[in-house]
Amino acid sequence: MPSVPKPAAAYPATRLRRPRAHAWSRALFAEVALSPADFIWPLFVTEGAGERTPVPTMPGVDRLSVDLIAQAAKEAESLGIPCIALFPSTPPERRTADGREALNPDNLTCRAIKAIKAAAPGIGVLTDVALDPYTTHGHDGLLSEDGRILNDETIEMLQGQALVQARAGADIIAPSDMMDGRVAAIRKVLEAGNFHDVQIMSYAAKYASAFYGPFRDAVGSGGYLKGDKKTYQMDPANADEALREVALDIAEGADSVMVKPGMPYLDVIARVKDAFNIPVFAYQVSGEYAMLETAARAGLIERDRMIIEALTAFRRAGCSGVLTYYARDAARLLG
């Protein structure tokens, strides 16, 4: 950690409260600025039309049908939010052990991409690449007969998934599976398919966290998950390992990297930014959101101030942007 410099002069010549005395001065001296352009808004896609289904474990968050996703994208664009992230709630009848619905060019994600591009062509679309929304076992990859995650076989599926999303109009492919070598493999097929401008935002440091529970409810995979994901997601005890993961993904062609979860891993965000000076994003995940929102609704914390303070913390740690379920609310507050 860098040492804290001693002030040039002691009290009373130096009074650090001076710049805090007025709102204009606090704004002038602020080290980090927060704006709607810093947010990526995660949205959950469901089948149907005019369908808005609340996620019980995430107060204030709904699953939206494709037509309502398009409306949300238009709202995001009007608020200055630059990017939408899509996560499908795949119907049970379309889930299989091999997750082949991920390769369907007419799946929920692909239809939502096209609807967003038609409604709000100026907004970016980020898509998740992993098999857990499509499998009957809830894992991000293919399983062997004895229950092991098959790394290399999974990568072939992820390549196909990335291609169908790029063909549908995705701007950022975001592999969240944590298979070794998947960034290079996805970059290879994107280049071969002439998708030279499609970005890869790698979930480079994705931890095997207890904070994902509400998300799994939202995409309908929680009840399917057999076992845990500790053989491919990172150990929460490790930070040096995160730097190795990030270094590999950069070398394989990632344009930006993500740390997930967010607030419990601010130290990892700061270390990644200091080490690589690459665009770093954080995901303020479902468990973080649910805790904060539940506390706010119980009157335990001041909601508006909490939202801005929490998101500012990510920027202070070194984030270029944040995936947050508070994107719309924060954009309105910053309005």
Side-chain angles (χ1 to χ4, degrees), residues 153-217:
E153 292 85 345
T154 295
I155 286 176
E156 292 184 22
M157 291 287 291
L158 303 178
Q159 287 178 303
Q161 185 181 12
L163 271 180
V164 298
Q165 292 175 355
R167 288 169 182 153
D171 300 291
I172 305 176
I173 300 296
S176 65
D177 56 286
M178 290 298 285
M179 298 298 113
D180 291 333
R182 89 277 204 215
V183 172
I186 290 170
R187 176 58 71 199
K188 180 179 178 181
V189 296
L190 291 176
E191 289 295 315
N194 291 319
F195 295 109
H196 308 302
D197 293 332
V198 173
Q199 301 176 37
I200 295 177
M201 181 189 293
S202 170
Y203 287 63
K206 181 179 180 181
Y207 286 84
S209 173
F211 287 89
Y212 301 150
F215 175 92
R216 291 172 182 162
D217 291 341

Side-chain angles (χ1 to χ4, degrees), residues 97-306:
D98 61 3
R100 58 182 174 271
E101 178 67 8
L103 307 183
N104 179 4
D106 196 41
N107 64 27
L108 268 173
T109 295
C110 293
R111 280 183 277 142
I113 295 167
K114 294 173 184 176
I116 289 171
K117 288 301 180 181
I123 203 165
V125 179
L126 179 152
T127 53
D128 177 61
V129 169
L131 299 183
D132 53 320
Y134 307 98
T135 59
T136 49
H137 46 72
H139 279 284
D140 296 41
L142 302 176
L143 291 182
S144 67
E145 291 184 0
D146 60 358
R148 292 179 298 108
I149 300 295
L150 299 170
N151 190 94
D152 296 1
E153 292 85 345
T154 295
I155 286 176
E156 292 184 22
M157 291 287 291
L158 303 178
Q159 287 178 303
Q161 185 181 12
L163 271 180
V164 298
Q165 292 175 355
R167 288 169 182 153
D171 300 291
I172 305 176
I173 300 296
S176 65
D177 56 286
M178 290 298 285
M179 298 298 113
D180 291 333
R182 89 277 204 215
V183 172
I186 290 170
R187 176 58 71 199
K188 180 179 178 181
V189 296
L190 291 176
E191 289 295 315
N194 291 319
F195 295 109
H196 308 302
D197 293 332
V198 173
Q199 301 176 37
I200 295 177
M201 181 189 293
S202 170
Y203 287 63
K206 181 179 180 181
Y207 286 84
S209 173
F211 287 89
Y212 301 150
F215 175 92
R216 291 172 182 162
D217 291 341
V219 298
S221 65
Y224 290 98
L225 183 61
K226 297 175 175 62
D228 57 49
K229 302 189 178 186
K230 293 179 181 179
T231 67
Y232 50 103
Q233 295 179 356
M234 285 184 55
D235 186 338
N238 295 353
D240 291 344
E241 184 185 11
L243 299 186
R244 296 183 67 193
E245 288 278 9
V246 169
L248 285 168
D249 286 359
I250 294 171
E252 291 180 14
D255 300 286
S256 58
V257 296
M258 188 195 302
V259 175
K260 180 183 179 184
M263 194 160 287
Y265 297 88
L266 291 177
D267 61 318
V268 176
I269 294 166
R271 288 187 63 181
V272 168
K273 185 65 176 181
D274 288 346
F276 300 103
N277 197 28
I278 189 174
V280 181
F281 291 78
Y283 198 147
Q284 187 184 43
V285 299
S286 60
E288 297 175 67
Y289 170 85
M291 286 193 309
L292 293 171
E293 187 64 16
T294 300
R297 292 184 180 221
L300 301 177
I301 53 179
E302 188 178 331
R303 185 177 186 272
D304 290 355
R305 286 185 60 193
M306 170 273 294

Side-chain angles (χ1 to χ4, degrees), residues 25-146:
S25 182
R26 292 191 295 273
L28 190 65
F29 280 76
E31 298 173 19
V32 172
L34 191 66
S35 84
D38 299 322
F39 309 141
I40 298 173
W41 189 13
L43 295 176
F44 298 109
V45 193
T46 192
E47 292 285 0
E51 187 71 29
R52 182 184 298 273
T53 308
V55 180
T57 50
M58 298 180 69
V61 173
D62 300 321
R63 302 181 194 93
L64 304 174
S65 54
V66 169
D67 56 321
L68 297 186
I69 288 284
Q71 292 180 22
K74 291 175 69 174
E75 182 181 9
E77 190 173 42
S78 71
L79 289 168
I81 298 169
C83 189
I84 296 289
L86 294 174
F87 300 94
S89 178
T90 305
E93 64 271 15
R94 291 192 173 273
R95 287 177 173 266
T96 57
D98 61 3
R100 58 182 174 271
E101 178 67 8
L103 307 183
N104 179 4
D106 196 41
N107 64 27
L108 268 173
T109 295
C110 293
R111 280 183 277 142
I113 295 167
K114 294 173 184 176
I116 289 171
K117 288 301 180 181
I123 203 165
V125 179
L126 179 152
T127 53
D128 177 61
V129 169
L131 299 183
D132 53 320
Y134 307 98
T135 59
T136 49
H137 46 72
H139 279 284
D140 296 41
L142 302 176
L143 291 182
S144 67
E145 291 184 0
D146 60 358

